[in-house]
Amino acid sequence: MKILLIGKNGQLGQEIDKQSVEKGHEVHSFSREELNITDSEKVKSKIESIAPDAVINASAFHNVPVCEEQPDQAFLINATALAPIAQVCSEKNIMFVTYSTDYVFDGLKGTPYVEEDKPSPVQMYGISKAAGEYVSLAYSKTSIVIRSSGVYGGKYGSRSKKGNFVLGILEQAKTEDSIEVAKEQFVNPTYAPDLAKATLELLEHRNINGIYHLANEGYCSWAEFAQEIIKDKGLPTKIIPVDRKGIAGSLSRPFFSALRNTKAEKLGVKLPTWQDGLRRYIAYLN
Ligand SMILES: NC(=O)c1ccc[n+]([C@@H]2O[C@H](COP(=O)([O-])OP(=O)(O)OC[C@H]3O[C@@H](n4cnc5c(N)ncnc54)[C@H](OP(=O)(O)O)[C@@H]3O)[C@@H](O)[C@H]2O)c1
């Protein structure tokens, strides 16, 4: 398969790039500097000249508090920029894969969200990603929107987020005997290599489209995730679960935004548990 990858240096982008090569795909990967997703003419011309079987967009504007301050940028990168890509992919019958988030949900359902549940985001990041889902699906019959949750990976994590949750806890544990972590928000922490692997497996099923959930199996609160990180790393640090009532500063976050991968599972695409993903990440970091 010939793949054009946008956002190759992200937690997920790096893994898609690496695993695509390992699988024998022909990959044309671009960093933000090489191909900015907002430069629609350049993106369209790359798609036309490379003529890939699939375009994978691993780029995003997803620092959640920054999205509140810069809604224009959030909408531009997470939604508006996707329209011309979806359009050209549709015209040329190219699969267009783009990623969305559990934050398109308000978290009030109380059980894991399935693909058919209606988005109702409670902050700008989720609103811009829900718009991106709509744009991708409205402009093309070849779009695949993959929602994931709590993504982490790579030695340094996400540049825009200055790391990731795991790296943040490990850094704090160097200097603090105890760390307070939210106990009221539930997610599926997802290891980027597992998400990349499942994405490439999904693409083996030609002629699929629509929304798919791909997150590591099971779910936990951020406090339980932090406890598991400390346990796997064998540290003495104490995690203190606290109830922040879903509020971080002036920002609302969903209480229970865990996902269920019902559609992928039917195609035989299954991800390992979040505990398994975390163990492999800790081993990779050691
Ligand atoms: N991380 C999470 O917790 C999480 C949860 C659910 C869903 N997701 C979704 O999963 C996808 C991948 O996330 P990730 O964690 O791998 O993100 P990431 O590590 O922050 O990577 C995003 C990549 O996009 C690049 N980028 C930013 N703006 C761009 C632009 N205008 N044009 C081209 N490239 C641009 C960034 O470049 P620089 O390196 O130069 O900044 C970075 O390499 C995103 O769609 C995200 O919304 C993430």
Side-chain angles (χ1 to χ4, degrees):
M1 191 163 36
K2 204 196 270 190
I3 295 172
L4 190 162
L5 171 65
I6 300 169
K8 74 170 183 190
N9 289 337
Q11 304 187 96
L12 176 63
Q14 287 174 35
E15 276 302 320
I16 290 176
D17 196 18
K18 179 169 152 262
Q19 292 186 29
S20 298
V21 172
E22 286 165 3
K23 272 184 140 199
H25 297 316
E26 179 184 331
V27 199
H28 300 256
S29 319
F30 300 93
S31 65
R32 176 176 28 179
E33 291 72 25
E34 291 161 345
L35 188 62
N36 195 307
I37 196 164
T38 62
D39 185 347
S40 59
E41 285 312 312
K42 189 168 172 185
V43 175
K44 276 199 285 192
S45 111
K46 285 281 180 212
I47 295 172
E48 278 159 6
S49 62
I50 292 168
D53 300 298
V55 171
I56 303 182
N57 171 30
S59 80
F61 191 79
H62 68 131
N63 184 315
V64 180
V66 177
C67 288
E68 286 304 294
E69 292 158 15
Q70 300 178 25
D72 292 0
Q73 278 300 304
F75 268 84
L76 180 61
I77 295 167
N78 295 337
T80 315
L82 308 185
I85 307 177
Q87 245 164 353
V88 70
C89 285
S90 190
E91 280 159 25
K92 297 183 181 305
N93 203 26
I94 295 167
M95 285 188 282
F96 172 44
V97 178
T98 193
Y99 291 86
S100 188
T101 169
D102 53 331
Y103 274 35
V104 298
F105 297 115
D106 60 18
L108 299 175
K109 183 182 170 192
T111 54
Y113 286 93
V114 295
E115 291 81 354
E116 292 77 18
D117 284 322
K118 288 271 170 289
S120 71
V122 292
Q123 77 303 108
M124 197 53 72
Y125 169 57
I127 295 168
S128 70
K129 291 298 261 188
E133 294 185 353
Y134 181 85
V135 163
S136 306
L137 299 171
Y139 281 74
S140 172
K141 293 198 166 43
T142 59
S143 292
I144 300 167
V145 171
I146 295 176
R147 293 194 190 120
S148 196
S149 166
V151 177
Y152 61 90
K155 284 270 179 241
Y156 309 104
S158 158
R159 199 162 76 164
S160 72
K161 290 187 166 183
K162 299 189 173 61
N164 60 39
F165 185 82
V166 181
L167 295 172
I169 291 291
L170 293 177
E171 194 54 37
Q172 271 184 279
K174 284 182 188 165
T175 53
E176 291 167 34
D177 298 333
S178 64
I179 307 170
E180 288 189 353
V181 186
K183 68 174 182 186
E184 81 286 6
Q185 285 174 49
F186 290 80
V187 292
N188 329 80
T190 297
Y191 187 30
D194 292 341
L195 177 55
K197 180 169 180 280
T199 298
L200 294 174
E201 284 172 8
L202 205 58
L203 288 190
E204 287 165 16
H205 297 267
R206 296 300 181 101
N207 298 322
I208 58 162
N209 59 12
I211 295 173
Y212 285 79
H213 289 178
L214 292 179
N216 276 123
E217 279 297 313
Y219 58 83
C220 59
S221 68
W222 288 113
E224 287 165 336
F225 188 34
Q227 272 155 350
E228 194 80 3
I229 295 165
I230 293 300
K231 190 186 93 190
D232 285 354
K233 190 75 184 171
L235 297 172
T237 318
K238 197 169 159 34
I239 299 296
I240 304 171
V242 291
D243 187 350
R244 297 213 172 96
K245 309 210 181 307
I247 306 285
S250 59
L251 187 71
S252 293
R253 292 176 187 260
F255 281 107
F256 188 97
S257 56
L259 305 172
R260 259 192 69 205
N261 312 330
T262 60
K263 285 171 68 182
E265 241 178 69
K266 282 186 190 138
L267 295 174
V269 177
K270 206 163 160 19
L271 284 89
T273 63
W274 66 265
Q275 294 94 333
D276 185 78
L278 177 62
R279 269 193 296 278
R280 281 177 287 120
Y281 188 43
I282 297 287
Y284 161 83
L285 291 175
N286 281 338

